[in-house]
Structures are given as structure tokens and as C-alpha cells.
Amino acid sequence: MSALAKFLAVNGYAVSGSDAVRGEETEKLSAYGIRTYIGVEGSRKELLEADAVVYTDAISPQNEERITASKMGKRLLPRADLLKIVGGNFANVIAIAGSHGKTTCSSMCAHALQAVNAPFTAHIGGVDSDFGNFYTSGREYFLTEVCEYKRNLLKISADVAVVLNIDKDHMECYQNEEDLISCFRKYAESAKTAFVCADDIGCQKLGGRFSTFGIRNACVDYRAVDLRNVNGAYSFTVEEYGKPLCRIRLQARGICNVYNALGAFSATRSFGFDEKQIKEGLETFKAVKRRFEKIGQYQGADVICDYAHHPREISATVAMAESCAKGRLFVVFQPHTYSRTKLLLNEFVEALRPIKELMIYKTFPAREKYDGEGSAERLAEAVNGLFAENVYVLKTWLKKTVRAGDTVLFLGAGDIYYVAHYLVKELS
């Protein structure tokens, strides 16, 4: 949401907004001349002056400001509708979709577009180490990531669409897996050009004649071959229709980032940009905040945070941490929403049970009300793991167990990131 606010501000609109708490992002918004309020603090005057009020899916219909705006007769816009309007102001729209990795792929694509000197604007769902979540150098290309929650990705009109993967997530919005696949299929079919990952089981169910990328499948349009792994970071040669183009050496760790890079390379290359410049851009990408980010040390143990909140992401991130860890690996996982935990409980158990040193932290509910069947307590019980109701329990556990040479991995898409920062500061 804040990236869209920044876009409006730099284009001359008066923008204001509210959030639950003040933090780093609200400070950044102030630099753009955007007024921010906490909760309903002072927002009524802003609502009176507003021509439109935009809200995210996390804001319920019972939200006080949303109700007030409706009574005032204001135009109410879901975030996805504003994103569609913004995209309509650009000659070309590049949209990145997928259950996992879309923020990293979008950031990689932004680095590639900068390297080819394209006039573009990037709307990124996370914080890139160089661009933040918003960057603009022109209005020819609009780069954005789109989410399948509530079928929001169908609202974007993309010239180039990327599908990285399709996994069972946000299933409370879909009747079944086929309904989810159908949504991604409509998204890919609506674009002028769509690139899908041929190695992903979910993408293989799309059918259709889409352009493809991958590693294992030899019959793809863009393929990574001759992969070499150095401390988790991969180098590889990109083949275009079977012809070697260039060799790329990534800074970001994990095989998942080879796929993210292929998605970004395919999308950028489709506009005819030089492969060597694209390569240079991809190689400048370092990381996205909360994606295997080392935030500090405690008693000689490395502390790492990652956004992983889906079983597939957890398994991949833990595997990467195990390959890097020199000592013992401690994992703190915060479930994100009761519905996801309830619907994917068996998958969570499969991903978490092998972890020897595991602590489940209280659920980040986001937009949802308490549901015992999908609670963190229920998950901890199912994996025979420990449960922490508060920060004090976490702090006590870490003080008693962590030693020099160990690694502590905090996982989750909720406030666990800020809890981890607080604990590193407190324990140090």
C-alpha cells in the first residue's frame, strides 16, 4: 500500500493515511509529504477532504474509518482496484505472480530494467536493499507483483505476466485446487505474453500454450544450465530456445532464486533488451528485507529472519539454513492467520516436525478472529514442539539454549520480524 501512496504523491496527489502503529515505513512516507495517522487519530478531517479512500484486504468492513468514509459518501477503492488504475497509466505492464517468490522476482526485474536504462516504475511488495518498495525513472514500463488472494491478480491488465509457481495457499478464497489453478490460468491467458515455470507441478496443470522457463525441463524457452553452487549462491548459463546467451552469478542464496532470476530474465528479455545488460542487472540484486536476512548476533549465534509462512517455503528456508549453519539450528515459527494453519495443518506438521529445536510463537491473526483449530497452540501440539505465548517465553528459551556458533532462524510473515529485532537488542 505504501508504494502506491508514494506513486500518487510523486505524481502530484495529496495523500494521507493511517496505520496501526508508527514505524520505519510511516517515517519514509513523511519524506514524500504523506501525512500518516495512527488509527482514527486525526483522520476524520483527512476523510472529509479526500476524493477517494483506499483500503487493503486486511481492513474489515467493520473498520471505523471505512464506515465513516462510506457514510460520507466517499469513493471506496480496494487496493487491487487502485493498482489496476495505476497500471493503466503505463504503456507496458509487467506483472509477477506466484504463491512464492514474487517479491524477490519483482525486485530482480527492477534491477534488470534499471540496467537496460528503461524508463520504469516499480511497485514491490517488500523492501529491496537498493530500491525499497518503490522506484521510478519513467512511465514506459510498470512493474508490479500481484497476489491471488481474493483473485486480485485478475484485476491487473498485464502485457507480460509471470507465474513462478502455484501452491495451495489462500484456499479460504477458493472452492478447491482446480478453482485456484483456473484463477492463475485466467491471469496468464489475459496477458499478451505469459511466462510460466515448466518445472512447477502447479504450473504444469495450467495447460495452454504459454512461454516457459525452467531448469529440469529441456523443452523450455528459457533454461538455466550448468548450475554451480558456492555457499548457497548459484551461477548458471541462460539458454534462449536452446542457444546459450550469458552466464549469471547471483548474490542471493538458494535454488529458488535461480527460478526467480529466470522469471525476471524472461519478462525483461521479451521486450528485446540486451541479454548482457539484463545479466548485469540481475547480478546487482542483493536481497529483499526479511528474505534470509541476517539481523545480528546473540552470544556468538547468527540470527536470521525470513518471511516464510507456507509449508513449502518453510522447508526450503530451513534446508538452506541447515546447509549454512555451522552449529545447531534453532527455529522460531509464527503462523500467519488461523485459516492457513487450519487448512494446511498436515503440511505444516510435515515441514516442521523434523526440526529438532523448534518454538512455535503465537499466531499473527491479520484480518481473522481466533480459531482454536488453526491456532499456534494446536500446531505446537501437532508437531510435539514448544509454544511461546509471549516475548518473555521466547527470551527465556533463547537465553537458556543458544551458544556461540549456533544459528537462530525466525520464520513468519507477521510481527515476528520486529520481535526478533527486539530480542537481539534485549539479549545483547
Side-chain angles (χ1 to χ4, degrees):
M1 178 71 96
S2 63
L4 289 172
K6 293 170 188 175
F7 171 82
L8 294 174
V10 298
N11 282 280
Y13 290 87
V15 184
S16 62
S18 64
D19 206 341
V21 294
R22 291 205 181 276
E24 185 180 348
E25 195 54 44
T26 55
E27 293 302 315
K28 290 179 181 177
L29 289 172
S30 298
Y32 284 83
I34 299 171
R35 297 181 297 275
T36 57
Y37 301 91
I38 302 306
V40 296
E41 169 209 333
S43 64
R44 184 171 179 82
K45 180 176 180 293
E46 301 296 326
L47 289 174
L48 282 168
E49 296 176 353
D51 295 304
V53 176
V54 184
Y55 60 92
T56 71
D57 288 320
I59 303 300
S60 74
Q62 288 74 43
N63 175 268
E64 184 177 345
E65 290 172 277
R66 188 170 165 182
I67 291 172
T68 301
S70 180
K71 288 180 178 178
M72 290 179 178
K74 300 297 180 179
R75 183 184 181 187
L76 292 171
L77 279 174
R79 172 187 173 278
D81 287 17
L82 175 60
L83 184 63
K84 178 181 179 179
I85 293 170
V86 169
N89 287 275
F90 290 79
N92 300 284
V93 174
I94 304 169
I96 312 295
S99 302
H100 321 289
K102 50 187 173 284
T103 296
T104 299
C105 183
S106 299
S107 293
M108 287 181 169
C109 203
H111 283 262
L113 288 171
Q114 185 186 57
V116 301
N117 296 313
F120 77 101
T121 296
H123 167 257
I124 302 170
V127 181
D128 178 86
S129 57
D130 293 317
F131 297 127
N133 67 355
F134 172 75
Y135 175 83
T136 184
S137 64
R139 297 282 285 272
E140 188 170 345
Y141 299 91
F142 181 59
L143 167 65
T144 184
E145 62 179 84
V146 288
C147 181
E148 69 273 21
Y149 182 66
K150 290 189 176 180
R151 306 174 196 268
N152 284 334
L153 77 176
L154 297 181
K155 293 184 178 181
I156 198 75
S157 297
D159 295 280
V160 173
V162 174
V163 183
L164 294 166
N165 41 61
I166 305 173
D167 213 339
K168 289 192 294 182
D169 200 9
H170 301 302
M171 293 307 294
E172 70 275 19
C173 305
Y174 297 91
Q175 296 177 16
N176 48 42
E177 186 179 5
E178 177 48 43
D179 191 23
L180 174 68
I181 297 292
S182 176
C183 179
F184 274 97
R185 185 183 298 118
K186 289 177 182 177
Y187 159 74
E189 290 175 342
S190 69
K192 294 177 182 177
T193 304
F195 292 94
V196 304
C197 179
D199 292 351
D200 181 73
I201 295 174
C203 288
Q204 291 168 4
K205 297 176 183 177
L206 288 174
R209 296 187 176 181
F210 303 116
S211 298
T212 53
F213 60 90
I215 299 172
R216 298 190 302 271
N217 194 318
C219 300
V220 293
D221 299 305
Y222 292 92
R223 187 184 184 196
V225 299
D226 189 20
L227 275 70
R228 299 177 187 176
N229 179 354
V230 179
N231 297 323
Y234 284 83
S235 63
F236 55 92
T237 297
V238 177
E239 287 185 349
E240 182 181 57
Y241 312 118
K243 177 185 176 182
L245 281 185
C246 58
R247 188 158 188 86
I248 297 174
R249 185 180 300 277
L250 297 176
Q251 296 187 56
R253 293 175 174 178
I255 191 69
C256 59
N257 283 316
V258 177
Y259 286 105
N260 292 332
L262 282 174
F265 189 100
S266 304
T268 316
R269 178 69 172 164
S270 68
F271 292 100
F273 292 122
D274 179 72
E275 69 274 14
K276 292 181 180 178
Q277 289 179 303
I278 298 173
K279 156 198 160 65
E280 290 170 2
L282 293 175
E283 290 182 338
T284 64
F285 171 77
K286 300 181 189 71
V288 174
K289 194 174 182 179
R290 297 186 72 166
R291 271 63 173 185
F292 213 74
E293 177 190 0
K294 181 179 176 180
I295 65 167
Q297 279 196 330
Y298 166 61
Q299 293 189 162
D302 289 338
V303 180
I304 297 171
C305 288
D306 194 273
Y307 201 69
H309 56 285
H310 184 278
R312 181 170 164 184
E313 296 168 346
I314 292 168
S315 295
T317 306
V318 169
M320 184 158 59
E322 287 174 337
S323 69
C324 301
K326 296 177 182 178
R328 297 172 301 168
L329 176 65
F330 293 83
V331 177
V332 179
F333 172 61
Q334 180 186 44
H336 188 270
T337 74
Y338 299 108
S339 59
R340 178 182 283 113
T341 306
K342 184 177 179 178
L343 289 167
L344 300 177
L345 183 63
N346 292 336
E347 289 89 340
F348 275 113
V349 171
E350 185 178 347
L352 293 167
R353 185 170 279 171
I355 302 170
K356 294 180 180 179
E357 304 289 348
L358 173 67
M359 177 69 80
I360 305 296
Y361 188 63
K362 63 180 180 180
T363 300
F364 186 81
R367 54 197 167 267
E368 298 180 347
K369 294 182 179 180
Y370 180 81
D371 183 347
E373 292 184 43
S375 65
E377 300 98 308
R378 174 73 183 92
L379 179 59
E381 178 185 315
V383 298
N384 297 319
L386 300 173
F387 169 68
E389 175 61 33
N390 53 50
V391 175
Y392 176 76
V393 175
L394 267 184
K395 183 163 67 172
T396 303
W397 179 62
L398 293 173
K399 286 178 72 173
K400 287 182 177 180
T401 55
V402 173
R403 299 193 301 264
D406 292 336
T407 299
V408 184
L409 179 63
F410 286 86
L411 301 176
D415 59 2
I416 193 67
Y417 180 74
Y418 305 102
V419 169
H421 274 276
Y422 168 79
L423 285 171
V424 167
K425 183 178 179 181
E426 281 289 301
L427 291 169
S428 299

